[in-house]
Amino acid sequence: MFEKVLVANRGEIAVRVMRACEELGVGTVAVYSEADKYSGFVRYADEAYNIGPARAADSYNDGDAVIEAAKKADADAIHPGYGFMAENADFAARVEETDGITWIGPSSEAMERLGEKTHARQVMRDADVPIVPGTTEPVTDVQQIKDFGEEHGYPVLIKAEGGGGGMGQEVVEGPEAAEEALETAQREGEAYFSNASVYLERFLDNPRHIEVQILADKHGNVRHLGERDCSLQRRQQKVIEEGPSPAITDELREKIGEAARRGAEAGDYYNAGTFEFLVEDEDRNDEGLLDTDADFYFLEVNTRIQVEHTVTEQLTDIDIVKWQIRVAAGEELTFEQDDVELEGHAMEFRINAENAAKEFAPATGGSFDVYDPPGGIGVRIDDAHRQGDDLVTDYDSMIAKLITSGEDRAECIARGKRALADYDIQGFPTIIPFHRMMLTDDPFLEGRHTTKYLDEEMDHDRIEAAQQRWGTETEPSGDDDEEVVEREFTVEVNGKRFQVDLEERGAPAIPTGGDGSGGGQAQRPQPGRGGSDGDSDGGVSAEGQEITAEMQGTILEVNVAEGDEVAAGDVLCVLEAMKMENDIVAENAGTVTHVEVSEGESVDMGDTMFVLD
C-alpha cells in the first residue's frame, strides 16, 4: 500500500479521496491554486502545496506543477479525482514515467483507447457493443457535417473527443448552423480538455441516459456494479442521478451491464470507470418499463471516478474510491460478479451555487454565511467547506452533494424531501429549491423524464415559484460589528502550506494582508483591475463607456480591436464562466477605444474589458 497520495483536484472530491486514504492509513497531500488558498479541502489534507494562480491552466491543469509538488511531498501516488486532468492520457503517461509515483487510475494506454471518443467507438464496435451511428474518425471540415446530416438526418451532434460534463457538445439543427457549431465545439474542446478534435453522432431524439459502473483490477477481473439513471439534465449536464433506473427491467439492466463488461475487457481496462449508454425511450411494456427489446447505444467511457459514484456505493456498500487505490497498489478484487447486489434505492442531488430561476446562472460571489447540512438515516453529504468560508467561483459551481437512500424509491424520495428541507445554506443562491420542486414533479416521480425534459418540457414558472418559496437571501452579510477572537494564519514556505492558530481575547480584529500571508479569510479584491481614480496600477483611465465583466471567467474569444466601429448588440467577446459561454455585447453603438483583455485571459467580476466612445 502507498505511504502518501497527492490528490490532484479540489473541493468535495478531494476530501472524498482523502477520507478513503485516511481509512487505509495513507497520508494525503493537497495541491491548491491562489483562489483555493483557504478552501476546506486544503485544511483537510495532511499537507498542502500552492501550484499556481486561479486560472486552471496555470494550476490544476499544469502537469509540471502537480508532479513537482508530488516530488516535494515525497508522495508515491497521484489520484486525479474527476475533471481537470483526470482523463488526460498524456498526463497519466507522464506520471507513469515518473520514478516512485503511481497513477491511481486506468493505464494511459487504456485511457487513450477508451477516453478518446472515436477510439472508444471502434473498440465497442469490435466488442459487439451497440454504438450510435456516427463517425469513427475526427471531423475537421464543415462539409463532413453536412454530408453526415444528409445521410442520417438532422439534428446532428458534434462532440469533443476529450469531452465530458456536457462541454464541447453542439447540436446542429440544419446545415446553415454547421460552421458556427463546429468552431464552438472545437474551441470548447481545446479550452477544457486541451483537445480540439471532434466527431459526429446521430442526435437521438428522446433518450434516457443510463450508465454502468465498472471496477476492474490488474489481474483480469472485471465487475460491473449496476447502473445509474442520469436522465435529468439541463444543457447536457446532470442534476439528479439515481439507481437503479426506475425505467428499465432487470433483464435490460443485466443486458446493458454485460455490454459494459465486454467493452472493459476489450479495452484492457482496469481501475474504476463508467460506461455510458443512451436508451431509446419507446415501446414500454405493460408495466411501463423498457424491456430487452429497447434499443440502447454506447455513448462514451469516463476513464475516472464519476461525480455520481456515491449512488452506486449506497446501493452496493462497495467503496469505489478505496478500490481505486487498492487496484493501483496491485491488489486483486475480492468479490465475484454474483456477489454484487443492488439493495434499495439511492439518489444524488448536486448542490450547485446556481439560481435555477435564472437559467441556472452561477453565483458570482458570496460566502457561507450559514451552512447547516442535514443528517439522519439514509442521508449522506459529500462536501468540503464550513460556515464562514468564501464561495470560490473560479471553477465548477457544484459545492456539495446530497445523497439519500432507502428501502425503495418511495422511501428514498421521502428522505430526499426531508433532507433538502433541512439543508440550510445562506449567502448565495443554490438549486436546493429546484430539487425540492422536482420531488413533487409527476413525470419525475413516475420515471417518465428523459434527457430533454428540463430543457424542453419543464414549466419554467414552477422553477421560479420554487425559488421564491424556498430560496434564501443571497446578499452577503456584513461583519462590521464582528469581533475576531480567533484567527487561522496560513504561511507558505517554499510553496508548502503551513497553518498557525492564534487566539486574541479582548483585542480588535487582526487585519488580513492582501499578499496571501495573512489570516484564514482572504480579503476580497475591489472590482476592476485598478482604482476608480485611474491610478497607474493598471486601471483604465480613458473616458467613455466601460464594459466590465459581470462574473469571473476566462476570455475565449475577442471579436473587436481598438478603432473598430460597433453597433448596439454586437458581440465584443465570449466569456466562459462555470462551463457556460456568455456573449459580451455592446449596449450602445460607438468606437472601441480600449481593449483590455485577450484570448485565454482570466477576468474577475467588475474588471474593465472594453471602453467605447
Side-chain angles (χ1 to χ4, degrees), residues 121-142:
R121 287 168 59 83
Q122 296 173 19
V123 173
M124 295 305 112
R125 183 180 58 190
D126 294 342
D128 196 29
V129 176
I131 62 175
V132 179
T135 61
T136 54
E137 296 294 335
V139 169
T140 58
D141 186 74
V142 173

Side-chain angles (χ1 to χ4, degrees), residues 462-498:
R462 295 190 60 209
I463 299 177
E464 290 185 349
Q467 186 67 33
Q468 292 177 1
R469 180 179 180 185
W470 293 309
T472 58
E473 293 294 328
T474 61
E475 291 297 325
S477 61
D479 57 357
D480 293 341
D481 299 326
E482 192 173 311
E483 183 177 318
V484 177
V485 295
E486 290 188 53
R487 204 69 168 187
E488 290 181 350
F489 281 78
T490 300
V491 180
E492 289 178 12
V493 180
N494 294 328
K496 182 176 181 180
R497 172 194 174 98
F498 296 90

Side-chain angles (χ1 to χ4, degrees), residues 162-178:
M167 298 310 300
Q169 297 187 24
E170 290 294 317
V171 178
V172 183
E173 299 289 349
E176 68 284 350

Side-chain angles (χ1 to χ4, degrees), residues 175-320:
E176 68 284 350
E179 183 174 2
E180 181 178 354
L182 176 61
E183 291 175 355
T184 300
Q186 290 174 328
R187 182 174 64 240
E188 289 189 353
E190 179 64 35
Y192 292 106
F193 313 108
S194 300
N195 184 354
S197 183
V198 299
Y199 68 103
L200 305 178
E201 282 183 357
R202 192 188 89 194
F203 186 72
L204 299 183
D205 185 52
N206 207 29
R208 295 193 73 88
H209 184 125
I210 305 294
E211 62 186 30
V212 178
Q213 178 69 58
I214 288 290
L215 197 56
D217 60 28
K218 298 179 181 179
H219 306 277
N221 301 302
V222 181
R223 312 283 185 256
H224 78 77
L225 309 185
E227 96 289 354
R228 300 182 289 257
D229 193 318
C230 305
S231 300
L232 195 72
Q233 304 178 8
R234 45 86 172 154
R235 295 193 296 272
Q236 300 174 324
Q237 293 185 4
K238 303 166 187 174
V239 184
I240 299 176
E241 305 97 341
E242 64 180 306
S245 171
I248 67 176
T249 63
D250 289 339
E251 291 76 18
L252 180 57
R253 175 173 296 113
E254 185 62 23
K255 188 176 179 180
I256 297 174
E258 286 304 313
R261 285 187 66 188
R262 289 199 308 274
E265 290 172 349
D268 194 21
Y269 192 92
Y270 61 76
N271 214 276
T274 301
F275 283 65
E276 300 194 348
F277 297 87
L278 295 178
V279 183
E280 292 276 26
D281 196 353
E282 299 174 353
D283 302 324
R284 297 198 177 202
N285 63 17
D286 293 340
E287 298 177 350
L289 300 175
L290 298 170
D291 212 335
T292 53
D293 58 349
D295 291 327
F296 68 92
Y297 302 99
F298 168 78
L299 178 62
E300 63 186 21
V301 182
N302 293 124
T303 57
R304 53 172 168 78
I305 196 71
Q306 288 277 92
V307 174
E308 59 272 19
H309 73 279
T310 58
V311 170
T312 299
E313 290 181 331
Q314 298 305 112
L315 295 175
T316 62
D317 200 29
I318 293 173
D319 190 320
I320 300 172

